[in-house]
Amino acid sequence: MELENTKGMNSSFNKKKHPHRRYNPLLDEWILVSPQRANRPWQGQIEKVAEEQLPAHDPNCYLCSGNLRVNGERNPDYTGVYVFENDFGSLMKDDVEFSNEQSDFFSLKPERGINRVICFSENHSLTLPEMEVSDIKKVVDVWQQQYEELGAEDYINHVQIFENKGSVMGCSNPHPHGQIWAQSSIPSTVLKTQENLKKYFDKKGSSLLEDYVKKELEAGERIILENEDFVALVPFWAVWPYETMIISKRKAENILQFSDSEKLSLASIVKDLTTKYDNLFEISFPYSAGIHQSPTDGKPHAEWHFHMHFYPPLLRSAEIKKFMVGYEMLAEPQRDITPEQSAVILKKLSLKYYKS
């Protein structure tokens, strides 16, 4: 005799209490949310970590102005933003001969590209939240210039702009800087995002992220910051505890389509968001952040909508981190604290920098 399964059916679903899965339309993936594992509100736990007081100029830093780099070249006495080719790039420009001998299990192809480093400031001690908005705007200007310059190379089909902040994110130098990897292929995650953006655009005739932002603004649950041109929010499908996205309100396929005032708005919201991050545990908050925008392959990309991801690893304090292990490596991503809880915490944080 088959018994009817009634277990767990005596209460109505509550997203704040019951395990559930959430759909990420950008990647066509699901994540598991387990709010019952972290149902007590965050208590504002701050475990102070001794932070090294950095000088404005470090004579031993290979990114500081006027200093010798590891390849024997000397940096100019720059002020503001400085860009150079990565001395230990992951990609090479060489166009090599290749015999295309592929099989079902052993497929490979050469990958060409250019790696560059962007120093945000000559001041070794600064990070983005400690910089003036006008100086962050100069970084945005360079992002725009580099996207255009590198994308104009006939073999470059994608330009990835990103920043790793903090040693926990693999950043080997505290000098304020980011990177650009420009390559001949469109990377897997970007390609997957593009496919889903196009699927939505072809079906609806509108931008997935433009429609999403409108719904998020109506809901108001996950919005952290908003200005005239951009919103910063915790995505409904966020995986990392304090993951956020900055999304342009207007559908712009890439950074080249932003006006000067929009670039200033982007600089402003980047400063405000990263300030909130640092204020969360009163430390220089680590993260990996990067821009997703249309490829530079010369094809029309009406489906694309500029956005920027922030993936920070910290969970409950400066010492407690989120790791992708076990179930997450074998099955799918999982989180305890809900995106809505994270949004409440981040939204309440001051924009006055904790060191001031």
Side-chain angles (χ1 to χ4, degrees):
M1 179 178 177
E2 190 172 318
L3 296 176
E4 182 181 359
N5 182 6
T6 59
K7 186 177 180 180
M9 295 178 63
N10 57 352
S11 62
S12 299
F13 171 74
N14 185 328
K15 71 179 181 182
K16 297 179 181 180
K17 297 179 179 179
H18 298 129
H20 58 278
R21 296 171 82 210
R22 296 192 183 200
Y23 180 65
N24 179 346
L26 290 177
L27 297 178
D28 189 26
E29 293 178 353
W30 292 82
I31 72 154
L32 176 64
V33 182
S34 308
Q36 78 285 357
R37 295 186 63 189
N39 52 19
R40 288 187 301 168
W42 177 71
Q43 298 298 311
Q45 181 180 0
I46 298 173
E47 294 182 10
K48 284 285 188 180
V49 174
E51 292 190 279
E52 182 184 359
Q53 296 299 311
L54 299 175
H57 184 276
D58 182 347
N60 298 312
C61 171
Y62 54 85
L63 297 181
C64 278
S65 63
N67 285 1
L68 200 65
R69 293 213 308 275
V70 288
N71 69 345
E73 294 183 20
R74 188 170 293 278
N75 295 326
D77 291 321
Y78 70 87
T79 57
V81 189
Y82 171 55
V83 183
F84 65 91
E85 302 256 336
N86 195 320
D87 299 329
F88 295 97
S90 299
L91 297 162
M92 299 171 66
K93 299 177 183 179
D94 302 357
D95 187 10
V96 296
E97 292 186 14
F98 174 62
S99 176
N100 190 4
E101 298 176 0
Q102 307 295 336
S103 72
D104 290 341
F105 300 109
F106 306 109
S107 296
L108 60 80
K109 65 174 184 176
E111 187 68 12
R112 297 175 68 192
I114 302 168
N115 294 124
R116 288 181 179 170
V117 176
I118 304 177
C119 294
F120 298 155
S121 169
E122 78 283 0
N123 191 329
H124 182 79
S125 69
L126 294 181
T127 58
L128 284 174
E130 298 171 286
M131 292 170 60
E132 298 295 328
V133 170
S134 58
D135 291 327
I136 300 175
K137 161 69 162 51
K138 294 173 185 175
V139 175
V140 176
D141 288 336
V142 170
W143 287 346
Q144 189 181 62
Q145 293 160 10
Q146 290 293 310
Y147 175 85
E148 182 173 36
E149 178 186 322
L150 291 166
E153 295 283 346
D154 58 4
Y155 68 94
I156 296 297
N157 291 308
H158 182 261
V159 177
Q160 183 61 64
I161 299 166
F162 65 98
E163 178 196 6
N164 293 325
K165 182 189 174 196
S167 58
V168 70
M169 303 310 296
C171 183
S172 58
N173 190 316
H175 192 103
H177 73 284
Q179 298 185 53
I180 303 178
W181 291 20
Q183 63 187 100
S184 52
S185 297
I186 300 175
S188 302
T189 299
V190 179
L191 191 59
K192 196 170 186 179
T193 299
Q194 177 172 280
E195 289 168 353
N196 288 300
L197 289 173
K198 190 173 190 313
K199 191 189 306 179
Y200 185 95
F201 187 83
D202 289 346
K203 182 179 179 180
K204 303 280 190 176
S206 58
S207 157
L208 185 155
L209 285 176
E210 187 174 29
D211 291 350
Y212 171 63
V213 165
K214 288 176 183 175
K215 292 294 184 183
E216 285 285 22
L217 287 169
E218 288 174 12
E221 280 187 291
R222 290 167 292 273
I223 301 292
I224 308 302
L225 294 159
E226 178 187 3
N227 62 26
E228 186 176 350
D229 302 302
F230 294 88
V231 297
L233 53 81
V234 178
F236 177 77
W237 52 82
V239 172
W240 297 94
Y242 295 101
E243 177 181 335
T244 59
M245 288 173 68
I246 293 175
I247 309 172
S248 62
K249 290 182 177 178
R250 180 176 71 84
K251 189 184 92 68
E253 294 169 19
N254 55 63
I255 200 168
L256 297 182
Q257 297 176 0
F258 289 151
S259 66
D260 211 52
S261 64
E262 285 174 315
K263 288 187 288 179
L264 189 63
S265 289
L266 177 56
S268 177
I269 206 164
V270 165
K271 177 178 174 66
D272 288 348
L273 179 60
T274 53
T275 296
K276 281 182 174 284
Y277 274 152
D278 279 15
N279 286 341
L280 180 58
F281 300 127
E282 295 189 359
I283 59 158
S284 187
F285 201 77
Y287 58 72
S288 282
I291 293 169
H292 276 171
Q293 56 190 326
S294 59
T296 56
D297 55 2
K299 299 176 183 177
H301 286 292
E303 72 278 4
W304 266 97
H305 188 133
F306 177 98
H307 57 287
M308 188 171 184
H309 294 279
F310 286 78
Y311 299 126
L314 299 187
L315 177 56
R316 289 273 182 176
S317 73
E319 294 290 349
I320 302 176
K321 303 173 183 66
K322 163 77 173 177
F323 293 98
M324 294 290 181
V325 296
Y327 178 88
E328 291 155 316
M329 295 180 75
L330 297 163
E332 68 185 15
Q334 182 270 343
R335 64 180 290 142
D336 295 344
I337 181 174
T338 68
E340 293 74 31
Q341 287 174 304
S342 298
V344 168
I345 292 164
L346 289 171
K347 192 169 186 177
K348 286 180 178 178
L349 293 168
S350 171
L351 291 177
K352 182 180 178 182
Y353 198 71
Y354 78 96
K355 288 183 181 178
S356 59

